[in-house]
Amino acid sequence: MGAVSYESVFKKGSVSDYPLTIRSLDGKLTDVLYNASVYKDDKGNVLGVTGVARDNTRVKRETEEVASTSKEMEAFSGSASHDLRAPLRVIDGFAQMLMEDYADKLDDKGKEIVTNIRASSTQMRKLIDDLLTFSRLGQQEIKKEYVAMGVLAKEVFDELRRAVPDRQIECNIQEMPDARADLATIRLVWVNIFSNAIKYTGLKEKAVIEVGSKTEGDKITYYVKDNGVGFDMKFVNKLFNVFQRLHSVEEFEGTGVGLANIKRTVERHGGTAWAEGKVGEGATFYFTLPKV
Amino acid sequence: METPAAKHILLVDDDPTTRRLFGSLLARAGFEVLYAKDGNEGREMAKRLKPDLILLDYNMPVMDGMEAADRLKTDPDPAIANIPVILLTSEDLSIEAQAGIKAMGVAAYMQKGVSNEEFIEQVKKNIDMSPKPAAAA
């Protein structure tokens, strides 16, 4: 290996970042990147070679670590998540049977206990499903195409709206520029953003949701503003972390993965996501995508 | 009056807790349940006992659901090939996979995460509940 790189220095005049493994006198092996060039006299005769070997150990190790983490995440996305979900399905299935078949033998306290068992196992199933989505979002390839954001946003909102027919919700979606994005994952961003807007305005008699965009330089910023329960800006940094929630499951159901999904997807597209909120007045969620 | 003989259902799944849940649900609904833990055992039991419906788990060691389904559906004995088969999956199937199992003759598929009620409903939808004619003399 060393001889080959040495020869190519003479042939091409230089070599850069050539990966080598060198052995020191005490036998220790080190991964390096070899950079070298020839030096010549006034007449252009090659006099010799100057070379520098840069220690590449840390970079090589970190690259391998990332690759192995990727593989672990892939394993989770695959069979592990099913192995985690199956027993929870069984717990819920039997708990339901207990409630139904032994209703006359269970007093109120007994029924409450079984209800708690079902609630916890259902929560855990949701967590695993969301975590699976989250890990997949980091794995799958992004396929970019032109996405009519206004049309997509309306489609997603209408779909979610149908699930809550009794609620009063006013949603204004302004005209928005197209984006170049992976349709499936950007759709999920809208699903998560609208789900939150609808959910956290649940206590208001009339929910008002505004959707729009702003083009600044080489970025398009899309936003969704709601008049819901809002949040304290003190905790804005926690908002987008996985499993972080600012409200309890009793106040608002959820697993705390929705915003993390948004952030991960948007960042994979080269954009950013952030939020602003005021307790009791509402919140606005922003995400940017590079201009088409 | 004679009570009609209970329908037999063969449940093939490598996970014991899943077998327990689905087995209990089926028994509760009045079915007789037979158990196998992989495709090989399942196919062998199907040929021997000729159940009225077969539930096959998609992912199993030794022989998985797809291969077992294929072998059952292409069995030369029509009594075997005609037994309705339902595939049990962990996730929803792609359009291609759905077309594939349909072409194979699989009656239906359902995700293992469906509710207790839906599970029994799917089984009842695909099983022939009419009493079997007496064996030919």
Side-chain angles (χ1 to χ4, degrees):
Chain A
M1 263 277 220
V4 172
S5 65
Y6 198 65
E7 274 163 26
S8 63
V9 177
F10 281 101
K11 275 205 210 104
K12 295 194 229 151
S14 69
V15 72
S16 74
D17 282 353
Y18 193 97
L20 283 178
T21 307
I22 58 180
R23 185 199 300 272
S24 61
L25 283 174
D26 59 10
K28 174 162 177 260
L29 293 173
T30 310
D31 292 316
V32 300
L33 293 175
Y34 183 62
N35 289 270
S37 61
V38 298
Y39 62 94
K40 305 174 180 170
D41 64 11
D42 300 337
K43 299 200 186 73
N45 298 313
V46 172
L47 294 175
V49 175
T50 54
V52 172
R54 199 167 73 238
D55 190 334
N56 200 34
T57 313
R58 187 175 58 88
V59 172
K60 197 159 188 237
R61 181 172 35 102
E62 284 174 3
T63 313
E64 279 164 9
E65 273 170 14
V66 169
S68 95
T69 307
S70 265
K71 265 211 210 107
E72 281 159 8
M73 290 293 260
E74 238 176 81
F76 173 75
S77 306
S79 53
S81 71
H82 304 312
D83 292 340
L84 288 171
R85 282 196 281 201
L88 289 168
R89 169 73 190 93
V90 174
I91 290 172
D92 190 58
F94 277 121
Q96 188 185 339
M97 272 199 265
L98 183 60
M99 272 294 238
E100 290 169 3
D101 299 353
Y102 294 85
D104 54 344
K105 293 198 175 64
L106 284 170
D107 62 1
D108 286 341
K109 189 78 179 103
K111 292 199 176 90
E112 198 187 308
I113 290 174
V114 179
T115 304
N116 283 333
I117 292 173
R118 295 197 71 191
S120 274
S121 63
T122 304
Q123 176 74 357
M124 184 143 184
R125 273 170 89 186
K126 277 201 212 141
L127 263 164
I128 293 175
D129 285 344
D130 288 349
L131 205 51
L132 184 64
T133 306
F134 179 72
S135 90
R136 279 203 181 131
L137 284 178
Q139 296 288 301
Q140 279 164 352
E141 288 234 3
I142 300 244
K143 294 182 298 278
K144 289 199 182 155
E145 55 185 290
Y146 285 101
V147 177
M149 291 295 253
V151 174
L152 181 60
K154 184 164 195 315
E155 188 194 295
V156 170
F157 175 75
D158 286 344
E159 199 183 295
L160 293 171
R161 175 96 184 74
R162 278 194 287 272
V164 286
D166 301 328
R167 297 244 338 247
Q168 262 209 69
I169 307 178
E170 181 191 309
C171 181
N172 304 310
I173 303 180
Q174 292 171 22
E175 261 204 59
M176 296 189 282
D178 289 356
R180 267 207 87 219
D182 181 277
L183 182 57
T185 52
I186 281 295
R187 187 173 204 284
L188 256 177
V189 168
W190 286 113
V191 170
N192 280 314
I193 273 191
F194 277 124
S195 290
N196 281 344
I198 293 173
K199 191 185 350 175
Y200 291 100
T201 52
L203 299 176
K204 281 264 151 77
E205 218 190 289
K206 179 167 177 206
V208 177
I209 301 173
E210 282 164 36
V211 185
S213 68
K214 227 182 325 191
T215 306
E216 284 161 322
D218 61 349
K219 290 200 302 242
I220 311 172
T221 304
Y222 300 91
Y223 64 84
V224 174
K225 182 174 198 279
D226 67 67
N227 66 336
V229 72
F231 63 89
D232 189 333
M233 283 300 279
K234 237 190 336 200
F235 305 114
V236 71
N237 289 324
K238 288 184 151 204
L239 219 51
F240 288 87
N241 293 340
V242 184
F243 294 142
Q244 286 284 1
R245 305 190 75 227
L246 297 183
H247 299 90
S248 68
V249 176
E250 280 101 19
E251 293 172 286
F252 298 98
E253 61 88 18
T255 55
V257 188
L259 288 179
N261 285 345
I262 291 175
K263 183 162 190 260
R264 179 167 249 191
T265 300
V266 165
E267 282 175 0
R268 287 195 84 204
H269 281 82
T272 50
W274 73 97
E276 281 165 9
K278 211 154 179 210
V279 176
E281 292 182 25
T284 309
F285 287 85
Y286 304 86
F287 64 95
T288 66
L289 289 173
K291 191 155 162 232
V292 163
Chain B
M1 188 172 97
E2 233 181 55
T3 42
K7 294 291 167 180
H8 286 65
I9 299 191
L10 174 61
L11 172 61
V12 191
D13 193 314
D14 62 323
D15 177 26
T17 55
T18 303
R19 283 200 304 268
R20 246 177 262 144
L21 174 66
F22 289 159
S24 298
L25 288 172
L26 291 166
R28 205 170 167 240
F31 297 105
E32 285 272 348
V33 190
L34 308 161
Y35 299 94
K37 60 176 174 348
D38 62 59
N40 220 11
E41 205 179 279
R43 190 169 152 256
E44 190 263 321
M45 286 184 76
K47 287 172 79 81
R48 200 163 29 97
L49 303 167
K50 299 200 181 61
D52 299 296
L53 182 134
I54 304 173
L55 289 160
L56 277 172
D57 183 21
Y58 200 74
N59 271 318
M60 286 184 292
V62 182
M63 190 193 293
D64 67 21
M66 286 293 271
E67 207 194 317
D70 188 38
R71 294 211 189 186
L72 286 165
K73 285 298 167 189
T74 53
D75 196 289
D77 181 2
I80 304 292
N82 290 333
I83 303 174
V85 171
I86 299 181
L87 222 43
L88 297 170
T89 64
S90 315
E91 293 204 320
D92 205 7
L93 292 181
S94 67
I95 308 284
E96 297 87 14
Q98 287 180 42
I101 62 169
K102 198 160 181 208
M104 216 189 273
V106 168
Y109 79 94
M110 60 175 154
Q111 293 190 57
K112 288 197 271 191
V114 297
S115 66
N116 289 357
E117 295 80 11
E118 223 195 295
F119 176 76
I120 293 299
E121 202 185 297
Q122 271 290 338
V123 168
K124 287 191 173 161
K125 233 200 296 197
N126 288 284
I127 198 171
D128 179 5
M129 290 302 285
S130 56
K132 274 213 201 60

Short mmCIF file of all heavy atoms in Angstrom, two decimals, chain A residues 213-253:
data_model
loop_
_atom_site.label_atom_id
_atom_site.label_comp_id
_atom_site.label_asym_id
_atom_site.label_seq_id
_atom_site.Cartn_x
_atom_site.Cartn_y
_atom_site.Cartn_z
N SER A 213 -47.09 31.34 4.93
CA SER A 213 -45.67 31.19 4.63
C SER A 213 -45.05 32.55 4.37
O SER A 213 -45.73 33.54 4.15
CB SER A 213 -45.47 30.31 3.41
OG SER A 213 -45.96 30.97 2.26
N LYS A 214 -43.70 32.57 4.44
CA LYS A 214 -42.94 33.79 4.18
C LYS A 214 -41.68 33.37 3.44
O LYS A 214 -40.98 32.45 3.90
CB LYS A 214 -42.55 34.43 5.52
CG LYS A 214 -42.82 35.90 5.60
CD LYS A 214 -42.39 36.54 6.90
CE LYS A 214 -42.55 35.71 8.13
NZ LYS A 214 -42.35 36.50 9.36
N THR A 215 -41.38 34.01 2.31
CA THR A 215 -40.16 33.66 1.60
C THR A 215 -39.12 34.71 1.88
O THR A 215 -39.34 35.90 1.63
CB THR A 215 -40.42 33.58 0.08
OG1 THR A 215 -41.50 32.70 -0.15
CG2 THR A 215 -39.19 33.05 -0.65
N GLU A 216 -37.98 34.29 2.45
CA GLU A 216 -36.90 35.23 2.76
C GLU A 216 -35.62 34.67 2.18
O GLU A 216 -35.13 33.64 2.64
CB GLU A 216 -36.76 35.39 4.27
CG GLU A 216 -37.84 36.26 4.87
CD GLU A 216 -37.96 36.03 6.38
OE1 GLU A 216 -37.84 34.88 6.83
OE2 GLU A 216 -38.19 37.00 7.09
N GLY A 217 -35.06 35.35 1.21
CA GLY A 217 -33.80 34.89 0.64
C GLY A 217 -33.93 33.52 0.01
O GLY A 217 -34.78 33.28 -0.84
N ASP A 218 -33.11 32.57 0.47
CA ASP A 218 -33.12 31.24 -0.14
C ASP A 218 -33.95 30.26 0.69
O ASP A 218 -33.83 29.06 0.52
CB ASP A 218 -31.69 30.72 -0.30
CG ASP A 218 -30.98 30.61 1.03
OD1 ASP A 218 -31.53 31.12 2.04
OD2 ASP A 218 -29.89 30.02 1.08
N LYS A 219 -34.81 30.78 1.61
CA LYS A 219 -35.59 29.90 2.48
C LYS A 219 -37.07 30.27 2.41
O LYS A 219 -37.42 31.44 2.26
CB LYS A 219 -35.15 30.04 3.94
CG LYS A 219 -33.79 29.48 4.25
CD LYS A 219 -33.65 29.23 5.74
CE LYS A 219 -33.87 30.49 6.51
NZ LYS A 219 -32.71 30.91 7.28
N ILE A 220 -37.92 29.24 2.53
CA ILE A 220 -39.34 29.48 2.69
C ILE A 220 -39.71 29.04 4.11
O ILE A 220 -39.37 27.93 4.51
CB ILE A 220 -40.20 28.64 1.72
CG1 ILE A 220 -39.67 28.77 0.29
CG2 ILE A 220 -41.66 29.09 1.79
CD1 ILE A 220 -40.35 27.81 -0.66
N THR A 221 -40.36 29.93 4.85
CA THR A 221 -40.79 29.58 6.20
C THR A 221 -42.29 29.33 6.17
O THR A 221 -43.06 30.20 5.76
CB THR A 221 -40.49 30.73 7.18
OG1 THR A 221 -39.11 31.04 7.13
CG2 THR A 221 -40.87 30.32 8.60
N TYR A 222 -42.70 28.13 6.57
CA TYR A 222 -44.12 27.80 6.70
C TYR A 222 -44.48 27.86 8.18
O TYR A 222 -43.67 27.50 9.02
CB TYR A 222 -44.39 26.39 6.15
CG TYR A 222 -44.04 26.23 4.69
CD1 TYR A 222 -42.76 25.80 4.31
CD2 TYR A 222 -44.97 26.49 3.69
CE1 TYR A 222 -42.43 25.66 2.97
CE2 TYR A 222 -44.63 26.35 2.35
CZ TYR A 222 -43.36 25.94 2.00
OH TYR A 222 -43.03 25.80 0.67
N TYR A 223 -45.69 28.33 8.48
CA TYR A 223 -46.06 28.39 9.90
C TYR A 223 -47.52 27.97 10.11
O TYR A 223 -48.35 28.11 9.23
CB TYR A 223 -45.84 29.79 10.49
CG TYR A 223 -46.71 30.87 9.87
CD1 TYR A 223 -48.01 31.09 10.32
CD2 TYR A 223 -46.21 31.68 8.85
CE1 TYR A 223 -48.81 32.07 9.76
CE2 TYR A 223 -47.01 32.66 8.28
CZ TYR A 223 -48.29 32.86 8.73
OH TYR A 223 -49.07 33.82 8.16
N VAL A 224 -47.78 27.47 11.32
CA VAL A 224 -49.14 27.14 11.73
C VAL A 224 -49.35 27.76 13.10
O VAL A 224 -48.63 27.46 14.05
CB VAL A 224 -49.35 25.60 11.81
CG1 VAL A 224 -50.73 25.28 12.38
CG2 VAL A 224 -49.18 24.97 10.45
N LYS A 225 -50.33 28.65 13.17
CA LYS A 225 -50.59 29.40 14.41
C LYS A 225 -51.93 28.95 14.97
O LYS A 225 -52.90 28.84 14.22
CB LYS A 225 -50.64 30.89 14.06
CG LYS A 225 -50.85 31.83 15.21
CD LYS A 225 -50.72 33.26 14.69
CE LYS A 225 -50.48 34.27 15.77
NZ LYS A 225 -51.60 34.73 16.52
N ASP A 226 -51.96 28.71 16.29
CA ASP A 226 -53.24 28.32 16.89
C ASP A 226 -53.53 29.18 18.11
O ASP A 226 -52.64 29.84 18.64
CB ASP A 226 -53.24 26.83 17.28
CG ASP A 226 -52.28 26.52 18.41
OD1 ASP A 226 -52.51 26.98 19.56
OD2 ASP A 226 -51.30 25.81 18.17
N ASN A 227 -54.81 29.18 18.53
CA ASN A 227 -55.19 29.96 19.71
C ASN A 227 -55.43 29.04 20.91
O ASN A 227 -56.33 29.25 21.72
CB ASN A 227 -56.45 30.79 19.41
CG ASN A 227 -57.69 29.90 19.19
OD1 ASN A 227 -57.56 28.73 18.83
ND2 ASN A 227 -58.87 30.45 19.42
N GLY A 228 -54.62 28.00 20.99
CA GLY A 228 -54.82 26.98 22.03
C GLY A 228 -54.18 27.32 23.35
O GLY A 228 -53.97 28.47 23.70
N VAL A 229 -53.81 26.27 24.07
CA VAL A 229 -53.34 26.41 25.44
C VAL A 229 -51.92 27.01 25.51
O VAL A 229 -51.48 27.48 26.54
CB VAL A 229 -53.41 25.04 26.15
CG1 VAL A 229 -52.33 24.12 25.62
CG2 VAL A 229 -53.34 25.17 27.63
N GLY A 230 -51.20 27.00 24.38
CA GLY A 230 -49.88 27.62 24.34
C GLY A 230 -48.87 26.93 25.25
O GLY A 230 -49.13 25.85 25.78
N PHE A 231 -47.70 27.58 25.38
CA PHE A 231 -46.68 27.03 26.28
C PHE A 231 -45.79 28.16 26.76
O PHE A 231 -45.76 29.25 26.18
CB PHE A 231 -45.85 25.96 25.56
CG PHE A 231 -45.07 26.46 24.38
CD1 PHE A 231 -43.77 26.95 24.55
CD2 PHE A 231 -45.60 26.43 23.10
CE1 PHE A 231 -43.03 27.42 23.45
CE2 PHE A 231 -44.88 26.90 22.01
CZ PHE A 231 -43.60 27.39 22.18
N ASP A 232 -45.05 27.87 27.84
CA ASP A 232 -44.15 28.86 28.44
C ASP A 232 -42.83 28.85 27.66
O ASP A 232 -42.17 27.81 27.55
CB ASP A 232 -43.92 28.47 29.90
CG ASP A 232 -43.18 29.54 30.68
OD1 ASP A 232 -42.41 30.31 30.06
OD2 ASP A 232 -43.36 29.59 31.91
N MET A 233 -42.44 30.01 27.12
CA MET A 233 -41.21 30.09 26.31
C MET A 233 -39.97 29.66 27.09
O MET A 233 -38.95 29.31 26.49
CB MET A 233 -40.99 31.52 25.78
CG MET A 233 -41.86 31.89 24.60
SD MET A 233 -41.60 30.80 23.17
CE MET A 233 -40.11 31.52 22.47
N LYS A 234 -40.09 29.64 28.41
CA LYS A 234 -38.98 29.17 29.24
C LYS A 234 -38.56 27.75 28.82
O LYS A 234 -37.40 27.37 28.94
CB LYS A 234 -39.46 29.10 30.71
CG LYS A 234 -38.64 29.91 31.66
CD LYS A 234 -38.93 29.70 33.14
CE LYS A 234 -40.26 29.19 33.53
NZ LYS A 234 -40.59 29.46 34.95
N PHE A 235 -39.55 26.98 28.35
CA PHE A 235 -39.27 25.57 28.05
C PHE A 235 -39.15 25.29 26.55
O PHE A 235 -39.19 24.14 26.14
CB PHE A 235 -40.38 24.68 28.64
CG PHE A 235 -40.59 24.90 30.10
CD1 PHE A 235 -41.77 25.44 30.59
CD2 PHE A 235 -39.59 24.57 31.01
CE1 PHE A 235 -41.96 25.65 31.93
CE2 PHE A 235 -39.75 24.77 32.35
CZ PHE A 235 -40.94 25.32 32.83
N VAL A 236 -38.99 26.34 25.76
CA VAL A 236 -39.01 26.15 24.31
C VAL A 236 -37.93 25.18 23.83
O VAL A 236 -38.11 24.46 22.87
CB VAL A 236 -38.94 27.52 23.59
CG1 VAL A 236 -37.55 28.12 23.73
CG2 VAL A 236 -39.32 27.39 22.14
N ASN A 237 -36.79 25.16 24.54
CA ASN A 237 -35.71 24.28 24.10
C ASN A 237 -36.04 22.80 24.27
O ASN A 237 -35.47 21.95 23.60
CB ASN A 237 -34.42 24.60 24.86
CG ASN A 237 -33.86 25.93 24.42
OD1 ASN A 237 -33.94 26.29 23.26
ND2 ASN A 237 -33.29 26.66 25.36
N LYS A 238 -36.96 22.50 25.21
CA LYS A 238 -37.28 21.09 25.45
C LYS A 238 -38.28 20.56 24.43
O LYS A 238 -38.36 19.37 24.18
CB LYS A 238 -37.93 20.95 26.83
CG LYS A 238 -37.01 21.13 27.97
CD LYS A 238 -37.75 20.86 29.28
CE LYS A 238 -36.80 20.34 30.33
NZ LYS A 238 -37.49 19.58 31.34
N LEU A 239 -39.04 21.50 23.88
CA LEU A 239 -40.21 21.15 23.06
C LEU A 239 -39.95 20.08 22.00
O LEU A 239 -40.76 19.18 21.82
CB LEU A 239 -40.71 22.43 22.37
CG LEU A 239 -42.20 22.64 22.25
CD1 LEU A 239 -42.88 22.45 23.59
CD2 LEU A 239 -42.45 24.06 21.76
N PHE A 240 -38.81 20.21 21.30
CA PHE A 240 -38.60 19.34 20.16
C PHE A 240 -37.83 18.07 20.50
O PHE A 240 -37.48 17.30 19.61
CB PHE A 240 -37.87 20.10 19.04
CG PHE A 240 -38.75 21.12 18.36
CD1 PHE A 240 -38.86 22.40 18.86
CD2 PHE A 240 -39.48 20.78 17.22
CE1 PHE A 240 -39.69 23.33 18.24
CE2 PHE A 240 -40.30 21.71 16.60
CZ PHE A 240 -40.41 23.00 17.11
N ASN A 241 -37.57 17.85 21.80
CA ASN A 241 -36.86 16.62 22.16
C ASN A 241 -37.81 15.43 22.19
O ASN A 241 -38.99 15.58 22.48
CB ASN A 241 -36.22 16.77 23.55
CG ASN A 241 -35.11 17.80 23.53
OD1 ASN A 241 -34.59 18.13 22.49
ND2 ASN A 241 -34.79 18.31 24.70
N VAL A 242 -37.24 14.26 21.91
CA VAL A 242 -38.06 13.04 21.90
C VAL A 242 -38.59 12.78 23.30
O VAL A 242 -37.88 12.87 24.28
CB VAL A 242 -37.22 11.82 21.46
CG1 VAL A 242 -38.10 10.58 21.36
CG2 VAL A 242 -36.58 12.08 20.12
N PHE A 243 -39.86 12.48 23.39
CA PHE A 243 -40.56 12.14 24.63
C PHE A 243 -40.77 13.34 25.55
O PHE A 243 -41.35 13.20 26.63
CB PHE A 243 -39.86 11.05 25.44
CG PHE A 243 -39.87 9.71 24.76
CD1 PHE A 243 -38.76 8.88 24.84
CD2 PHE A 243 -40.97 9.28 24.06
CE1 PHE A 243 -38.76 7.65 24.20
CE2 PHE A 243 -40.98 8.05 23.41
CZ PHE A 243 -39.86 7.24 23.50
N GLN A 244 -40.30 14.51 25.17
CA GLN A 244 -40.51 15.67 26.03
C GLN A 244 -41.92 16.20 25.82
O GLN A 244 -42.33 16.44 24.69
CB GLN A 244 -39.50 16.77 25.69
CG GLN A 244 -38.10 16.46 26.18
CD GLN A 244 -37.95 16.66 27.67
OE1 GLN A 244 -38.89 17.01 28.35
NE2 GLN A 244 -36.75 16.43 28.17
N ARG A 245 -42.66 16.40 26.89
CA ARG A 245 -43.98 17.00 26.79
C ARG A 245 -44.09 18.06 27.86
O ARG A 245 -43.50 17.94 28.93
CB ARG A 245 -45.07 15.95 26.99
CG ARG A 245 -44.97 14.78 26.06
CD ARG A 245 -46.19 13.91 26.16
NE ARG A 245 -47.30 14.53 25.48
CZ ARG A 245 -48.53 14.64 25.98
NH1 ARG A 245 -48.80 14.20 27.18
NH2 ARG A 245 -49.50 15.19 25.28
N LEU A 246 -44.85 19.11 27.57
CA LEU A 246 -45.05 20.14 28.57
C LEU A 246 -46.40 19.98 29.26
O LEU A 246 -46.78 20.79 30.09
CB LEU A 246 -44.93 21.54 27.95
CG LEU A 246 -43.55 21.87 27.37
CD1 LEU A 246 -43.53 23.29 26.84
CD2 LEU A 246 -42.46 21.69 28.41
N HIS A 247 -47.15 18.96 28.87
CA HIS A 247 -48.43 18.71 29.52
C HIS A 247 -48.54 17.24 29.86
O HIS A 247 -47.91 16.40 29.24
CB HIS A 247 -49.60 19.11 28.59
CG HIS A 247 -49.60 20.56 28.21
ND1 HIS A 247 -48.95 21.03 27.11
CD2 HIS A 247 -50.14 21.63 28.82
CE1 HIS A 247 -49.10 22.33 27.03
NE2 HIS A 247 -49.81 22.72 28.06
N SER A 248 -49.36 16.94 30.87
CA SER A 248 -49.50 15.54 31.27
C SER A 248 -50.46 14.83 30.32
O SER A 248 -51.20 15.46 29.58
CB SER A 248 -50.07 15.46 32.69
OG SER A 248 -51.41 15.92 32.67
N VAL A 249 -50.42 13.50 30.38
CA VAL A 249 -51.29 12.70 29.52
C VAL A 249 -52.76 12.92 29.88
O VAL A 249 -53.63 12.80 29.03
CB VAL A 249 -50.92 11.20 29.62
CG1 VAL A 249 -51.86 10.35 28.82
CG2 VAL A 249 -49.51 10.99 29.14
N GLU A 250 -53.03 13.27 31.14
CA GLU A 250 -54.42 13.53 31.53
C GLU A 250 -54.93 14.80 30.87
O GLU A 250 -56.09 14.88 30.48
CB GLU A 250 -54.55 13.69 33.05
CG GLU A 250 -54.60 12.39 33.80
CD GLU A 250 -53.25 12.09 34.44
OE1 GLU A 250 -52.46 13.04 34.56
OE2 GLU A 250 -53.01 10.94 34.78
N GLU A 251 -54.06 15.82 30.78
CA GLU A 251 -54.50 17.08 30.17
C GLU A 251 -54.67 16.90 28.67
O GLU A 251 -55.68 17.27 28.09
CB GLU A 251 -53.44 18.16 30.42
CG GLU A 251 -53.28 18.57 31.88
CD GLU A 251 -52.09 19.49 32.06
OE1 GLU A 251 -50.94 19.00 32.00
OE2 GLU A 251 -52.30 20.69 32.24
N PHE A 252 -53.62 16.37 28.04
CA PHE A 252 -53.66 16.16 26.60
C PHE A 252 -52.92 14.86 26.29
O PHE A 252 -51.78 14.69 26.68
CB PHE A 252 -52.96 17.30 25.86
CG PHE A 252 -53.62 18.64 26.06
CD1 PHE A 252 -53.14 19.54 26.99
CD2 PHE A 252 -54.73 18.99 25.30
CE1 PHE A 252 -53.74 20.77 27.17
CE2 PHE A 252 -55.34 20.22 25.48
CZ PHE A 252 -54.85 21.11 26.41
N GLU A 253 -53.60 13.95 25.57
CA GLU A 253 -52.93 12.68 25.28
C GLU A 253 -51.76 12.91 24.30
O GLU A 253 -51.71 13.92 23.61
CB GLU A 253 -53.94 11.68 24.70
CG GLU A 253 -54.61 12.07 23.41
CD GLU A 253 -53.83 11.66 22.17
OE1 GLU A 253 -52.96 10.79 22.28
OE2 GLU A 253 -54.08 12.25 21.12
#
